[in-house]
Amino acid sequence: MTTTRREFLTASAIAGAALVSPAALAASTTKATIPMPKLQHHVFFWLKNPDSSADRAKLIAGVKSLAAIETVRSFHVGIPASTEKREVVDNSYHVSELLGFDDVAGQDAYQVHPLHKKFVDEHQHLWSKVVVYDALAVE
Amino acid sequence: MTTTRREFLTASAIAGAALVSPAALAASTTKATIPMPKLQHHVFFWLKNPDSSADRAKLIAGVKSLAAIETVRSFHVGIPASTEKREVVDNSYHVSELLGFDDVAGQDAYQVHPLHKKFVDEHQHLWSKVVVYDALAVE
């Protein structure tokens, strides 16, 4: 039964992928997973004033404006989740931004896009630290 | 006549493209549209022997086995992308694992899943450092 359900889900995932992007399809696995764009750009922000909910809301709104950039294929803005506080888990950041691109060129285009430059200009006074990870899918 | 034929061929090409690659249509929209699971669990691994391609391949294969866990909704295994080396970019890790879950409960179930425990048991000798970020989507 489990196998049958997995097969069904895999077929659904593949059908769904066809609506999205060939790069996402290429990055999909054999299981029931949502296909992900190949390049994942994950940014973690630490606020200067972590106790200011206004600052946090401002940063979140700013990050959301980035979803409109043409080469952005997937988008997730987050805050630390209430998962178990293990030693390896860094939950000290305040806001996260996870953007998916088809390739390095898509991310490069995003970096110099006017909407991204505007976001940095208007929000960089809010953060004290930023860490970025760019991960390219392996086959 | 030639023009007419060209028009016909162009129309056919467009129709064909839509059938073969709906991605082209999706890509022409202004926004990022792949729906992302709410909880994103991003793990970065630093290998004990970064120059060992065998160790890296073993770890990547191990990470891939995690996609079979039932609560995993999206899956991406990566290596540092060749994006611009800015000061804020940490490209010192060797392998990354990005898993999407519907909620914190899904991630909790994953942590205690036999396949995850087996992965840790069989691969933890390969890494010297692990950093985990759990990000929950904001509305």
Side-chain angles (χ1 to χ4, degrees):
Chain A
M1 288 300 284
T2 306
T3 305
T4 304
R5 181 169 160 74
R6 279 205 191 128
E7 282 168 1
F8 168 75
L9 288 171
T10 302
S12 302
I14 290 166
L19 295 171
V20 181
S21 109
L25 182 59
S28 74
T29 66
T30 53
K31 201 218 126 194
T33 55
I34 297 170
M36 297 278 278
K38 289 190 83 163
L39 182 69
Q40 293 292 326
H41 174 73
H42 214 163
V43 185
F44 298 91
F45 298 95
W46 281 259
L47 289 166
K48 267 188 200 152
N49 304 306
D51 296 333
S52 165
S53 53
D55 281 11
R56 184 178 312 231
K58 229 179 283 179
L59 178 55
I60 288 171
V63 168
K64 285 182 175 176
S65 73
L66 301 172
I69 294 176
E70 293 80 357
T71 56
V72 172
R73 297 279 176 258
S74 63
F75 180 79
H76 181 278
V77 50
I79 54 172
S82 57
T83 48
E84 194 189 346
K85 305 308 173 212
R86 296 171 297 136
E87 200 190 338
V88 293
V89 178
D90 186 344
N91 64 352
S92 65
Y93 70 95
H94 303 112
V95 174
S96 64
E97 162 202 325
L98 176 61
L99 304 181
F101 300 92
D102 289 340
D103 47 32
V104 170
Q107 202 278 152
D108 289 349
Y110 156 85
Q111 285 294 336
V112 297
H113 193 284
L115 275 179
H116 181 243
K117 286 180 176 294
K118 179 170 147 60
F119 163 76
V120 174
D121 285 348
E122 293 180 358
H123 297 85
Q124 61 185 343
H125 67 283
L126 297 174
W127 61 71
S128 59
K129 180 183 159 190
V130 175
V131 175
V132 179
Y133 298 91
D134 286 325
L136 187 69
V138 295
E139 300 306 316
Chain B
M1 289 303 283
T2 307
T3 305
T4 303
R5 182 170 159 72
R6 273 201 196 131
E7 280 168 2
F8 169 75
L9 288 173
T10 302
S12 301
I14 290 167
L19 290 173
V20 170
S21 170
L25 294 178
S28 70
T29 63
T30 52
K31 232 221 94 204
T33 47
I34 298 174
M36 296 279 279
K38 289 190 82 164
L39 182 70
Q40 293 292 327
H41 173 75
H42 215 163
V43 184
F44 298 91
F45 299 95
W46 282 259
L47 289 166
K48 267 187 199 152
N49 304 306
D51 296 334
S52 165
S53 55
D55 280 10
R56 185 178 312 231
K58 228 181 281 179
L59 179 55
I60 288 170
V63 168
K64 285 183 174 175
S65 74
L66 301 172
I69 294 176
E70 292 80 356
T71 56
V72 172
R73 296 280 177 260
S74 63
F75 179 81
H76 181 278
V77 50
I79 53 172
S82 57
T83 49
E84 193 190 345
K85 305 308 174 215
R86 297 171 296 136
E87 199 190 336
V88 293
V89 177
D90 186 344
N91 64 351
S92 66
Y93 70 94
H94 303 110
V95 174
S96 64
E97 160 203 325
L98 176 61
L99 305 180
F101 299 93
D102 289 338
D103 47 31
V104 170
Q107 202 275 153
D108 290 349
Y110 156 84
Q111 286 293 336
V112 298
H113 193 284
L115 275 178
H116 180 243
K117 287 181 176 294
K118 179 170 147 61
F119 163 74
V120 174
D121 286 348
E122 293 179 358
H123 298 85
Q124 61 185 342
H125 68 282
L126 297 173
W127 62 72
S128 58
K129 180 183 159 191
V130 175
V131 175
V132 179
Y133 299 91
D134 286 324
L136 188 69
V138 294
E139 299 307 316

